[in-house]
Coordinates of all heavy atoms in Angstrom, one line a residue:
D1 N 89.2 -27.0 50.0 CA 90.7 -27.0 50.0 C 91.2 -27.1 48.5 O 92.4 -27.1 48.3 CB 91.3 -28.1 50.8 CG 90.9 -29.5 50.4 OD1 90.0 -29.7 49.5 OD2 91.5 -30.4 50.9
Q2 N 90.3 -27.2 47.5 CA 90.7 -27.2 46.1 C 90.8 -25.9 45.5 O 91.3 -25.7 44.4 CB 89.8 -28.1 45.3 CG 89.8 -29.6 45.8 CD 88.8 -30.4 45.1 OE1 88.1 -30.0 44.2 NE2 88.7 -31.7 45.5
A3 N 90.1 -24.9 46.1 CA 90.1 -23.5 45.6 C 91.3 -22.7 46.1 O 91.9 -23.2 47.1 CB 88.8 -22.8 46.0
Q4 N 91.5 -21.6 45.6 CA 92.5 -20.7 46.1 C 92.2 -20.2 47.5 O 91.0 -20.3 47.9 CB 92.7 -19.5 45.2 CG 93.3 -19.8 43.8 CD 93.6 -18.6 43.0 OE1 93.8 -17.5 43.5 NE2 93.7 -18.7 41.7
P5 N 93.2 -19.8 48.3 CA 93.0 -19.5 49.7 C 91.9 -18.5 50.0 O 91.2 -18.6 51.1 CB 94.3 -18.9 50.1 CG 95.3 -19.5 49.2 CD 94.6 -19.6 47.9
R6 N 91.6 -17.6 49.1 CA 90.5 -16.6 49.4 C 89.3 -16.9 48.5 O 88.4 -16.0 48.3 CB 91.0 -15.2 49.2 CG 92.0 -14.8 50.3 CD 92.5 -13.3 50.2 NE 92.5 -12.7 48.9 CZ 93.5 -12.8 48.0 NH1 94.6 -13.5 48.3 NH2 93.4 -12.2 46.9
G7 N 89.3 -18.0 47.7 CA 88.2 -18.3 46.8 C 88.2 -17.5 45.5 O 87.3 -17.5 44.8
Q8 N 89.4 -16.8 45.3 CA 89.4 -15.9 44.1 C 89.3 -16.6 42.8 O 89.0 -16.0 41.8 CB 90.6 -15.0 44.2 CG 91.9 -15.7 44.1 CD 92.5 -16.0 45.5 OE1 91.8 -16.4 46.4 NE2 93.8 -15.8 45.7
D9 N 89.4 -17.9 42.7 CA 89.3 -18.7 41.5 C 87.9 -19.2 41.2 O 87.6 -19.8 40.2 CB 90.3 -19.8 41.4 CG 90.2 -20.8 42.5 OD1 89.8 -20.4 43.6 OD2 90.5 -22.0 42.3
I10 N 86.9 -19.1 42.2 CA 85.6 -19.6 41.9 C 84.9 -18.8 40.8 O 85.0 -17.6 40.7 CB 84.7 -19.8 43.2 CG1 84.4 -18.4 43.8 CG2 85.4 -20.7 44.2 CD1 83.3 -18.5 44.9
R11 N 84.1 -19.5 40.0 CA 83.3 -18.9 39.0 C 81.9 -19.5 38.9 O 81.8 -20.8 39.0 CB 84.0 -19.0 37.6 CG 85.4 -18.4 37.5 CD 85.3 -16.9 37.6 NE 86.6 -16.3 37.3 CZ 87.5 -16.0 38.2 NH1 87.3 -16.3 39.5 NH2 88.6 -15.4 37.8
F12 N 80.9 -18.8 38.7 CA 79.6 -19.3 38.5 C 79.1 -19.0 37.1 O 79.5 -18.0 36.5 CB 78.6 -18.6 39.5 CG 78.9 -18.9 40.9 CD1 79.8 -18.1 41.6 CD2 78.3 -19.9 41.6 CE1 80.1 -18.4 43.0 CE2 78.6 -20.2 42.9 CZ 79.5 -19.4 43.6
S13 N 78.3 -19.9 36.6 CA 77.8 -19.7 35.2 C 76.5 -20.5 35.0 O 76.1 -21.3 35.9 CB 78.8 -20.2 34.2 OG 78.9 -21.6 34.2
T14 N 75.8 -20.1 34.0 CA 74.6 -20.9 33.6 C 75.1 -22.2 32.9 O 76.3 -22.3 32.6 CB 73.8 -20.1 32.5 OG1 74.6 -19.9 31.3 CG2 73.3 -18.8 33.1
P15 N 74.3 -23.2 32.7 CA 74.7 -24.4 32.1 C 75.3 -24.2 30.7 O 76.2 -25.0 30.3 CB 73.4 -25.3 32.0 CG 72.6 -24.8 33.1 CD 72.9 -23.3 33.2
D16 N 74.9 -23.2 30.0 CA 75.5 -23.0 28.7 C 76.7 -22.0 28.7 O 77.2 -21.5 27.7 CB 74.5 -22.5 27.7 CG 73.7 -21.2 28.1 OD1 73.9 -20.8 29.3 OD2 73.0 -20.6 27.3
G17 N 77.3 -21.7 29.9 CA 78.5 -21.0 30.0 C 78.5 -19.5 30.2 O 79.5 -18.9 30.2
V18 N 77.3 -19.0 30.3 CA 77.2 -17.5 30.6 C 77.6 -17.2 32.0 O 77.0 -17.7 32.9 CB 75.7 -17.0 30.3 CG1 75.6 -15.5 30.6 CG2 75.3 -17.3 28.9
P19 N 78.6 -16.4 32.2 CA 79.1 -16.1 33.5 C 78.0 -15.3 34.4 O 77.3 -14.5 33.8 CB 80.3 -15.1 33.3 CG 80.7 -15.3 31.9 CD 79.4 -15.7 31.1
L20 N 78.0 -15.7 35.6 CA 77.1 -15.0 36.6 C 78.0 -14.3 37.6 O 78.9 -14.9 38.2 CB 76.2 -16.1 37.3 CG 75.3 -16.9 36.4 CD1 74.6 -18.0 37.3 CD2 74.2 -16.0 35.8
P21 N 77.7 -13.0 37.8 CA 78.5 -12.2 38.8 C 78.3 -12.7 40.2 O 77.2 -13.2 40.5 CB 78.0 -10.8 38.6 CG 76.9 -10.8 37.6 CD 76.7 -12.2 37.2
H22 N 79.3 -12.6 41.0 CA 79.2 -13.1 42.4 C 80.0 -12.2 43.3 O 80.9 -11.4 42.8 CB 79.7 -14.5 42.5 CG 81.2 -14.7 42.3 ND1 81.8 -14.7 41.1 CD2 82.2 -14.8 43.2 CE1 83.1 -14.9 41.3 NE2 83.3 -14.9 42.6
E23 N 79.7 -12.2 44.6 CA 80.5 -11.5 45.6 C 80.7 -12.5 46.7 O 79.8 -13.1 47.3 CB 79.8 -10.3 46.1 CG 80.5 -9.6 47.2 CD 79.8 -8.4 47.8 OE1 78.6 -8.4 47.8 OE2 80.5 -7.5 48.3
I24 N 82.0 -12.6 47.1 CA 82.4 -13.5 48.3 C 82.2 -12.6 49.5 O 83.0 -11.6 49.7 CB 83.8 -14.0 48.1 CG1 83.9 -14.9 46.9 CG2 84.2 -14.8 49.4 CD1 85.3 -15.4 46.6
E25 N 81.3 -12.9 50.4 CA 81.1 -12.2 51.6 C 82.1 -12.8 52.7 O 82.7 -12.0 53.5 CB 79.7 -12.3 52.1 CG 79.4 -11.5 53.3 CD 78.0 -11.4 53.7 OE1 77.1 -11.4 52.8 OE2 77.7 -11.4 54.9
R26 N 82.2 -14.1 52.7 CA 83.1 -14.7 53.7 C 83.6 -16.0 53.0 O 82.9 -16.7 52.4 CB 82.3 -15.1 55.0 CG 83.2 -15.8 56.0 CD 82.5 -16.1 57.3 NE 81.4 -17.0 57.1 CZ 81.1 -17.9 58.0 NH1 81.7 -18.0 59.2 NH2 80.1 -18.7 57.8
W27 N 84.9 -16.2 53.2 CA 85.6 -17.4 52.7 C 86.5 -17.9 53.8 O 87.5 -17.2 54.1 CB 86.3 -17.1 51.4 CG 86.9 -18.3 50.8 CD1 88.1 -18.9 51.0 CD2 86.2 -19.1 49.8 NE1 88.2 -20.0 50.2 CE2 87.1 -20.1 49.4 CE3 85.0 -19.0 49.2 CZ2 86.7 -21.1 48.5 CZ3 84.6 -19.9 48.2 CH2 85.5 -21.0 47.9
D28 N 86.2 -19.0 54.4 CA 87.1 -19.5 55.5 C 87.5 -20.9 55.3 O 86.8 -21.9 55.5 CB 86.2 -19.5 56.8 CG 87.0 -19.7 58.1 OD1 88.2 -20.3 58.0 OD2 86.6 -19.4 59.2
P29 N 88.7 -21.0 54.7 CA 89.2 -22.4 54.4 C 89.5 -23.2 55.6 O 89.4 -24.5 55.6 CB 90.5 -22.1 53.6 CG 90.9 -20.7 53.9 CD 89.7 -20.0 54.3
R30 N 89.7 -22.6 56.8 CA 90.0 -23.3 58.0 C 88.7 -24.1 58.4 O 88.9 -25.3 58.8 CB 90.4 -22.4 59.1 CG 90.8 -23.0 60.4 CD 91.1 -22.0 61.5 NE 90.0 -21.1 61.7 CZ 88.9 -21.3 62.5 NH1 88.8 -22.5 63.0 NH2 88.0 -20.4 62.7
T31 N 87.6 -23.5 58.3 CA 86.3 -24.2 58.7 C 85.6 -24.9 57.5 O 84.7 -25.6 57.7 CB 85.3 -23.3 59.4 OG1 85.0 -22.2 58.5 CG2 86.0 -22.6 60.6
G32 N 86.0 -24.5 56.3 CA 85.4 -25.0 55.1 C 84.0 -24.4 54.8 O 83.2 -24.9 54.2
R33 N 83.9 -23.1 55.3 CA 82.6 -22.4 55.2 C 82.8 -21.2 54.3 O 83.8 -20.5 54.3 CB 82.0 -22.0 56.5 CG 81.6 -23.2 57.3 CD 81.0 -22.7 58.6 NE 80.3 -23.8 59.2 CZ 79.0 -23.9 59.5 NH1 78.3 -22.9 59.2 NH2 78.5 -25.0 60.0
A34 N 81.7 -20.9 53.5 CA 81.8 -19.7 52.7 C 80.4 -19.1 52.6 O 79.4 -19.9 52.7 CB 82.3 -20.0 51.3
E35 N 80.3 -17.8 52.3 CA 79.0 -17.2 52.0 C 79.3 -16.4 50.7 O 80.2 -15.5 50.7 CB 78.6 -16.3 53.2 CG 78.2 -17.1 54.4 CD 78.3 -16.3 55.7 OE1 78.5 -15.1 55.7 OE2 78.1 -17.0 56.7
V36 N 78.6 -16.7 49.7 CA 78.8 -16.1 48.4 C 77.5 -15.7 47.8 O 76.5 -16.6 47.8 CB 79.5 -17.1 47.4 CG1 79.8 -16.5 46.1 CG2 80.8 -17.6 48.0
W37 N 77.4 -14.5 47.3 CA 76.2 -14.0 46.7 C 76.4 -14.2 45.2 O 77.4 -13.8 44.7 CB 76.0 -12.5 47.0 CG 75.7 -12.2 48.4 CD1 76.7 -11.9 49.4 CD2 74.5 -12.2 49.1 NE1 76.0 -11.7 50.6 CE2 74.7 -11.9 50.4 CE3 73.1 -12.5 48.7 CZ2 73.7 -11.8 51.4 CZ3 72.1 -12.3 49.6 CH2 72.4 -12.0 50.9
V38 N 75.3 -14.7 44.5 CA 75.4 -14.9 43.1 C 74.1 -14.2 42.4 O 73.0 -14.4 42.9 CB 75.4 -16.4 42.7 CG1 75.4 -16.5 41.2 CG2 76.5 -17.1 43.4
R39 N 74.4 -13.4 41.4 CA 73.3 -12.7 40.7 C 72.7 -13.7 39.7 O 73.4 -14.0 38.7 CB 73.7 -11.4 40.1 CG 72.5 -10.7 39.5 CD 72.9 -9.3 39.1 NE 71.8 -8.6 38.5 CZ 70.9 -7.8 39.2 NH1 71.1 -7.6 40.5 NH2 69.9 -7.2 38.5
I40 N 71.5 -14.1 39.9 CA 70.8 -15.0 39.0 C 69.7 -14.1 38.3 O 68.8 -13.6 39.0 CB 70.2 -16.2 39.7 CG1 71.3 -16.9 40.4 CG2 69.4 -17.1 38.7 CD1 70.9 -18.1 41.3
P41 N 69.8 -13.9 37.0 CA 68.9 -13.0 36.3 C 67.4 -13.3 36.5 O 66.6 -12.4 36.5 CB 69.3 -13.0 34.9 CG 70.4 -14.0 34.7 CD 70.7 -14.6 36.1
R42 N 67.1 -14.6 36.5 CA 65.7 -15.0 36.6 C 65.6 -16.3 37.4 O 66.2 -17.3 37.1 CB 65.1 -15.2 35.2 CG 63.7 -15.5 35.2 CD 63.1 -15.6 33.8 NE 61.9 -16.3 33.7 CZ 61.6 -17.4 33.1 NH1 62.6 -17.9 32.3 NH2 60.5 -17.9 33.1
I43 N 64.7 -16.3 38.4 CA 64.5 -17.5 39.2 C 63.2 -18.1 38.6 O 62.1 -17.5 38.6 CB 64.2 -17.2 40.7 CG1 65.5 -16.5 41.3 CG2 63.9 -18.5 41.4 CD1 66.7 -17.3 41.4
R44 N 63.3 -19.3 38.0 CA 62.2 -19.9 37.4 C 61.2 -20.6 38.4 O 60.1 -20.8 38.1 CB 62.6 -20.9 36.3 CG 63.3 -20.2 35.2 CD 63.6 -21.2 34.0 NE 63.7 -22.6 34.3 CZ 64.6 -23.4 33.8 NH1 65.5 -23.0 33.0 NH2 64.6 -24.7 34.1
G45 N 61.8 -21.1 39.5 CA 60.9 -21.7 40.5 C 60.6 -23.2 40.2 O 59.6 -23.7 40.6
D46 N 61.4 -23.8 39.4 CA 61.2 -25.2 39.1 C 62.4 -26.0 39.4 O 63.5 -25.4 39.6 CB 60.7 -25.5 37.7 CG 61.6 -25.0 36.6 OD1 62.9 -25.2 36.8 OD2 61.2 -24.5 35.6
A47 N 62.3 -27.3 39.4 CA 63.5 -28.2 39.8 C 64.5 -28.3 38.6 O 65.5 -28.9 38.8 CB 63.0 -29.5 40.2
L48 N 64.2 -27.7 37.5 CA 65.1 -27.8 36.3 C 66.2 -26.8 36.2 O 67.1 -26.9 35.4 CB 64.3 -27.9 35.0 CG 63.3 -29.0 35.0 CD1 62.4 -28.9 33.7 CD2 63.9 -30.4 35.1
Q49 N 66.1 -25.7 37.0 CA 67.1 -24.6 37.0 C 68.4 -25.0 37.7 O 68.3 -25.7 38.7 CB 66.5 -23.4 37.6 CG 67.4 -22.2 37.4 CD 66.7 -20.9 37.7 OE1 65.6 -20.9 38.4 NE2 67.3 -19.8 37.4
E50 N 69.5 -24.6 37.1 CA 70.8 -24.9 37.7 C 71.7 -23.8 37.4 O 71.6 -23.1 36.4 CB 71.3 -26.3 37.2 CG 71.7 -26.3 35.8 CD 72.3 -27.6 35.3 OE1 71.5 -28.5 35.1 OE2 73.5 -27.7 35.2
I51 N 72.7 -23.7 38.3 CA 73.9 -22.9 38.0 C 75.1 -23.7 38.2 O 75.0 -24.8 38.9 CB 73.9 -21.6 38.9 CG1 74.1 -22.0 40.4 CG2 72.8 -20.7 38.6 CD1 74.3 -20.8 41.3
R52 N 76.2 -23.4 37.6 CA 77.4 -24.2 37.7 C 78.5 -23.4 38.5 O 78.6 -22.2 38.4 CB 77.9 -24.5 36.4 CG 76.9 -25.4 35.7 CD 77.5 -26.2 34.6 NE 76.5 -27.0 34.0 CZ 76.5 -27.6 32.9 NH1 77.6 -27.4 32.1 NH2 75.6 -28.4 32.5
L53 N 79.3 -24.1 39.3 CA 80.4 -23.5 40.0 C 81.6 -24.2 39.6 O 81.7 -25.5 39.5 CB 80.1 -23.8 41.5 CG 81.3 -23.5 42.5 CD1 81.7 -22.1 42.4 CD2 80.9 -23.9 43.9
R54 N 82.6 -23.4 39.3 CA 83.9 -24.0 38.9 C 85.0 -23.4 39.8 O 84.9 -22.2 40.2 CB 84.2 -23.6 37.4 CG 83.3 -24.4 36.5 CD 83.8 -24.2 35.0 NE 83.2 -25.1 34.1 CZ 81.9 -25.0 33.7 NH1 81.2 -24.0 34.1 NH2 81.4 -25.9 32.8
W55 N 86.1 -24.1 39.9 CA 87.2 -23.7 40.8 C 88.4 -24.4 40.3 O 88.4 -25.3 39.5 CB 86.9 -23.9 42.3 CG 86.8 -25.3 42.6 CD1 87.8 -26.2 43.1 CD2 85.7 -26.2 42.5 NE1 87.4 -27.4 43.3 CE2 86.0 -27.5 43.0 CE3 84.3 -25.9 42.2 CZ2 85.1 -28.5 43.0 CZ3 83.4 -27.0 42.2 CH2 83.8 -28.2 42.6
G56 N 89.6 -24.0 40.9 CA 90.8 -24.8 40.7 C 91.8 -24.2 39.7 O 92.8 -24.8 39.4
N57 N 91.6 -23.0 39.2 CA 92.5 -22.3 38.3 C 93.5 -21.5 39.1 O 93.2 -20.5 39.7 CB 91.8 -21.4 37.3 CG 92.7 -20.7 36.4 OD1 93.9 -20.7 36.5 ND2 92.1 -20.1 35.4
P58 N 94.7 -22.0 39.3 CA 95.7 -21.3 40.1 C 96.1 -19.9 39.6 O 96.6 -19.1 40.4 CB 96.9 -22.2 40.1 CG 96.8 -23.0 38.9 CD 95.3 -23.1 38.6
D59 N 95.8 -19.6 38.3 CA 96.2 -18.3 37.8 C 95.0 -17.3 37.7 O 95.1 -16.2 37.2 CB 96.7 -18.5 36.4 CG 98.0 -19.3 36.4 OD1 98.8 -19.2 37.3 OD2 98.1 -20.2 35.5
A60 N 93.8 -17.7 38.2 CA 92.6 -16.9 38.1 C 92.7 -15.6 39.0 O 93.2 -15.7 40.1 CB 91.4 -17.7 38.5
D61 N 92.3 -14.5 38.4 CA 92.2 -13.3 39.2 C 90.9 -13.3 40.0 O 90.0 -14.0 39.7 CB 92.2 -12.0 38.3 CG 93.6 -11.8 37.6 OD1 94.6 -12.2 38.2 OD2 93.6 -11.3 36.5
D62 N 90.9 -12.5 41.1 CA 89.7 -12.4 41.9 C 88.5 -11.8 41.1 O 88.6 -10.7 40.5 CB 89.9 -11.6 43.1 CG 88.8 -11.6 44.1 OD1 87.8 -12.2 43.9 OD2 89.0 -11.0 45.2
A63 N 87.4 -12.5 40.9 CA 86.3 -12.0 40.1 C 85.1 -11.6 41.0 O 84.0 -11.3 40.5 CB 85.8 -13.1 39.2
S64 N 85.3 -11.6 42.3 CA 84.2 -11.2 43.3 C 84.0 -9.7 43.1 O 84.8 -8.9 43.3 CB 84.7 -11.5 44.7 OG 83.7 -11.0 45.6
R65 N 82.7 -9.3 42.7 CA 82.4 -7.9 42.4 C 81.0 -7.6 43.0 O 80.0 -7.9 42.3 CB 82.4 -7.7 40.9 CG 83.7 -7.9 40.2 CD 84.6 -6.7 40.4 NE 85.9 -6.9 39.7 CZ 86.9 -7.5 40.2 NH1 86.9 -7.9 41.5 NH2 88.0 -7.7 39.5
G66 N 80.9 -7.1 44.1 CA 79.6 -6.7 44.7 C 78.8 -5.8 43.9 O 77.6 -5.9 43.8
E67 N 79.4 -4.8 43.2 CA 78.7 -3.9 42.4 C 78.0 -4.5 41.2 O 77.0 -4.0 40.7 CB 79.6 -2.7 42.0 CG 80.7 -3.1 41.0 CD 82.0 -3.6 41.7 OE1 82.0 -3.8 42.9 OE2 82.9 -3.9 41.0
A68 N 78.5 -5.7 40.8 CA 77.8 -6.4 39.7 C 76.7 -7.3 40.2 O 75.7 -7.5 39.5 CB 78.8 -7.3 39.0
V69 N 76.7 -7.7 41.5 CA 75.7 -8.5 42.1 C 74.6 -7.6 42.6 O 73.4 -8.0 42.5 CB 76.3 -9.4 43.2 CG1 75.2 -10.2 43.8 CG2 77.4 -10.2 42.7
F70 N 74.9 -6.5 43.1 CA 73.9 -5.6 43.8 C 74.0 -4.2 43.1 O 74.3 -3.2 43.8 CB 74.3 -5.4 45.3 CG 74.2 -6.8 46.0 CD1 75.4 -7.4 46.4 CD2 73.0 -7.3 46.3 CE1 75.3 -8.6 47.1 CE2 72.9 -8.5 47.0 CZ 74.1 -9.2 47.4
P71 N 73.6 -4.1 41.9 CA 73.6 -2.7 41.3 C 72.5 -1.9 41.9 O 71.5 -2.4 42.4 CB 73.3 -3.0 39.8 CG 72.7 -4.4 39.7 CD 73.2 -5.1 40.9
P72 N 72.8 -0.6 42.1 CA 71.8 0.3 42.8 C 70.4 0.3 42.1 O 70.3 0.2 40.9 CB 72.5 1.7 42.7 CG 73.8 1.5 42.1 CD 73.9 0.1 41.6
D73 N 69.4 0.4 43.0 CA 68.0 0.6 42.5 C 67.5 -0.5 41.6 O 66.8 -0.2 40.6 CB 67.9 2.0 41.9 CG 68.3 3.1 42.8 OD1 68.0 3.0 44.0 OD2 68.9 4.1 42.3
T74 N 67.9 -1.8 41.8 CA 67.4 -2.8 40.9 C 66.7 -3.9 41.6 O 66.2 -4.9 41.0 CB 68.6 -3.5 40.2 OG1 69.5 -4.0 41.1 CG2 69.3 -2.5 39.3
F75 N 66.4 -3.8 42.9 CA 65.8 -4.9 43.6 C 64.4 -4.6 44.1 O 64.1 -3.6 44.6 CB 66.7 -5.3 44.9 CG 67.9 -6.0 44.5 CD1 69.1 -5.3 44.4 CD2 68.0 -7.3 44.3 CE1 70.3 -5.9 44.0 CE2 69.1 -8.0 44.0 CZ 70.3 -7.2 43.8
A76 N 63.5 -5.6 43.8 CA 62.2 -5.5 44.3 C 62.1 -6.3 45.7 O 61.2 -6.1 46.5 CB 61.2 -6.1 43.4
G77 N 63.0 -7.2 45.9 CA 63.1 -8.0 47.1 C 64.4 -8.8 47.2 O 65.0 -9.1 46.2
V78 N 64.7 -9.1 48.4 CA 65.9 -10.0 48.7 C 65.5 -11.0 49.7 O 64.9 -10.6 50.7 CB 67.1 -9.1 49.2 CG1 68.3 -10.0 49.5 CG2 67.5 -8.1 48.1
W79 N 65.8 -12.3 49.5 CA 65.5 -13.3 50.4 C 66.8 -14.0 50.9 O 67.7 -14.3 50.1 CB 64.6 -14.4 49.8 CG 63.3 -13.9 49.5 CD1 62.2 -14.1 50.2 CD2 62.9 -13.2 48.3 NE1 61.1 -13.5 49.6 CE2 61.5 -12.9 48.5 CE3 63.5 -12.7 47.2 CZ2 60.8 -12.2 47.5 CZ3 62.8 -11.9 46.3 CH2 61.5 -11.7 46.4
H80 N 66.9 -14.1 52.2 CA 68.1 -14.8 52.8 C 67.6 -16.2 53.2 O 66.7 -16.3 54.1 CB 68.6 -14.0 54.1 CG 69.1 -12.7 53.7 ND1 70.4 -12.4 53.4 CD2 68.4 -11.5 53.6 CE1 70.5 -11.1 53.1 NE2 69.4 -10.6 53.2
L81 N 68.2 -17.2 52.6 CA 67.7 -18.6 52.9 C 68.8 -19.3 53.7 O 70.0 -19.1 53.5 CB 67.5 -19.3 51.5 CG 66.6 -18.6 50.5 CD1 66.6 -19.3 49.2 CD2 65.2 -18.5 51.1
S82 N 68.3 -20.2 54.6 CA 69.3 -21.1 55.3 C 68.9 -22.5 55.1 O 67.7 -22.8 54.9 CB 69.4 -20.7 56.8 OG 68.5 -19.8 57.2
P83 N 69.9 -23.4 55.2 CA 69.6 -24.8 55.1 C 68.7 -25.4 56.2 O 68.7 -24.9 57.3 CB 70.9 -25.5 55.0 CG 71.9 -24.5 55.5 CD 71.3 -23.2 55.5

């Protein structure tokens, strides 16, 4: 409930501030659920890797861009994980 109604103000980045592209697949403020894809350039596979999520800018434009997350012909594999 702190983000804009469609999540258009959320932003992902590396710890040093490099923006990470994302695509909002579903954003449901009524249920508090969202599905967001984030392009992470390299998965290190250790407990030290992190990404940052920011929200709360009422003037932010929608930065959700599927074409930046899923550029054509760039994937060797995709994993769908659930909690």
